[in-house]
mmCIF file of all heavy atoms in Angstrom:
data_model
loop_
_atom_site.group_PDB
_atom_site.id
_atom_site.type_symbol
_atom_site.label_atom_id
_atom_site.label_comp_id
_atom_site.label_asym_id
_atom_site.label_seq_id
_atom_site.Cartn_x
_atom_site.Cartn_y
_atom_site.Cartn_z
ATOM 1 N N GLU A 2 159.603 89.704 100.949
ATOM 2 C CA GLU A 2 158.696 90.408 101.938
ATOM 3 C C GLU A 2 157.256 90.414 101.450
ATOM 4 O O GLU A 2 157.004 90.661 100.302
ATOM 5 C CB GLU A 2 159.186 91.835 102.186
ATOM 6 C CG GLU A 2 158.541 92.445 103.355
ATOM 7 C CD GLU A 2 158.712 93.916 103.460
ATOM 8 O OE1 GLU A 2 159.860 94.387 103.752
ATOM 9 O OE2 GLU A 2 157.732 94.669 103.351
ATOM 10 N N ILE A 20 146.774 108.719 125.901
ATOM 11 C CA ILE A 20 148.004 109.399 126.009
ATOM 12 C C ILE A 20 148.098 110.408 127.204
ATOM 13 O O ILE A 20 149.231 110.760 127.581
ATOM 14 C CB ILE A 20 148.311 110.199 124.619
ATOM 15 C CG1 ILE A 20 149.824 110.543 124.516
ATOM 16 C CG2 ILE A 20 147.357 111.396 124.552
ATOM 17 C CD1 ILE A 20 150.118 111.171 123.208
ATOM 18 N N LEU A 53 131.518 108.342 128.029
ATOM 19 C CA LEU A 53 132.428 109.034 127.239
ATOM 20 C C LEU A 53 133.079 110.226 127.965
ATOM 21 O O LEU A 53 134.291 110.574 127.761
ATOM 22 C CB LEU A 53 131.772 109.498 125.951
ATOM 23 C CG LEU A 53 131.270 108.392 124.979
ATOM 24 C CD1 LEU A 53 130.569 108.967 123.802
ATOM 25 C CD2 LEU A 53 132.503 107.575 124.497
ATOM 26 N N ALA A 91 157.891 103.781 91.320
ATOM 27 C CA ALA A 91 157.646 104.948 90.495
ATOM 28 C C ALA A 91 158.457 106.133 90.949
ATOM 29 O O ALA A 91 158.901 106.949 90.141
ATOM 30 C CB ALA A 91 156.119 105.281 90.571
ATOM 31 N N GLY A 138 131.147 113.905 104.586
ATOM 32 C CA GLY A 138 130.124 112.873 104.723
ATOM 33 C C GLY A 138 130.772 111.583 105.229
ATOM 34 O O GLY A 138 129.936 110.607 105.477
ATOM 35 N N SER A 202 125.307 130.995 102.388
ATOM 36 C CA SER A 202 126.448 130.469 103.165
ATOM 37 C C SER A 202 126.728 129.067 102.762
ATOM 38 O O SER A 202 125.844 128.170 102.654
ATOM 39 C CB SER A 202 126.162 130.477 104.632
ATOM 40 O OG SER A 202 127.045 129.715 105.368
ATOM 41 N N GLU A 212 124.659 123.510 115.084
ATOM 42 C CA GLU A 212 123.322 123.100 114.825
ATOM 43 C C GLU A 212 123.059 121.670 115.524
ATOM 44 O O GLU A 212 122.031 121.506 116.125
ATOM 45 C CB GLU A 212 123.086 122.903 113.347
ATOM 46 C CG GLU A 212 122.981 124.272 112.604
ATOM 47 C CD GLU A 212 122.168 124.202 111.347
ATOM 48 O OE1 GLU A 212 120.929 124.427 111.458
ATOM 49 O OE2 GLU A 212 122.683 123.875 110.277
ATOM 50 N N CYS A 262 147.008 112.996 107.734
ATOM 51 C CA CYS A 262 146.339 114.260 107.465
ATOM 52 C C CYS A 262 145.580 114.784 108.761
ATOM 53 O O CYS A 262 145.234 113.935 109.525
ATOM 54 C CB CYS A 262 145.373 114.234 106.313
ATOM 55 S SG CYS A 262 143.962 113.125 106.516
ATOM 56 N N ALA A 315 129.395 125.211 122.036
ATOM 57 C CA ALA A 315 130.287 124.135 122.425
ATOM 58 C C ALA A 315 131.349 124.609 123.396
ATOM 59 O O ALA A 315 131.636 125.868 123.420
ATOM 60 C CB ALA A 315 130.957 123.481 121.144
ATOM 61 N N ALA A 357 154.296 120.221 111.274
ATOM 62 C CA ALA A 357 153.084 120.324 110.415
ATOM 63 C C ALA A 357 153.546 120.970 109.050
ATOM 64 O O ALA A 357 154.394 121.747 108.969
ATOM 65 C CB ALA A 357 152.043 121.232 111.091
ATOM 66 N N PRO A 436 144.015 134.457 102.711
ATOM 67 C CA PRO A 436 144.723 135.672 102.973
ATOM 68 C C PRO A 436 145.004 135.858 104.480
ATOM 69 O O PRO A 436 144.049 135.721 105.310
ATOM 70 C CB PRO A 436 143.825 136.803 102.448
ATOM 71 C CG PRO A 436 142.715 136.091 101.720
ATOM 72 C CD PRO A 436 142.670 134.664 102.138
ATOM 73 N N ALA A 443 139.598 136.906 111.587
ATOM 74 C CA ALA A 443 138.819 135.882 112.342
ATOM 75 C C ALA A 443 139.385 135.708 113.701
ATOM 76 O O ALA A 443 138.704 135.246 114.629
ATOM 77 C CB ALA A 443 138.892 134.586 111.503
#
Side-chain angles (χ1 to χ4, degrees):
E2 192 194 291
I20 198 172
L53 294 176
S202 166
E212 292 209 89
C262 64

